[in-house]
Amino acid sequence: MRGDLVSRPIGDVLKEAHALFEGGVKELLVISQDTSAYGVDTKYRTGFWEGKTR
């Protein structure tokens, strides 16, 4: 039923959260199917946010 796991880069997640905040969102729920598998598909590649490694 479920497809392959896909880890979203941290910068993409933070950009989306920031845009939602700027749009007036007061609460954000972050959910995951399998947090222990985060990064497996990207071979744990480092992400960036505002020019800093995350």
Side-chain angles (χ1 to χ4, degrees):
M1 288 291 176
R2 169 173 103 184
D4 294 338
L5 295 173
V6 178
S7 301
R8 290 183 59 200
I10 190 67
D12 290 357
V13 175
L14 292 171
K15 283 179 198 172
E16 184 176 349
H18 184 71
L20 289 167
F21 173 77
E22 292 295 318
V25 171
K26 300 288 185 202
E27 183 176 351
L28 178 65
L29 282 172
V30 179
I31 61 169
S32 173
Q33 289 270 326
D34 187 353
T35 54
S36 66
Y38 180 81
V40 171
D41 58 324
T42 61
K43 305 213 182 325
Y44 304 101
R45 184 174 41 239
T46 304
F48 295 90
W49 170 247
E50 296 183 341
K52 298 178 185 170
T53 306
R54 302 283 181 209

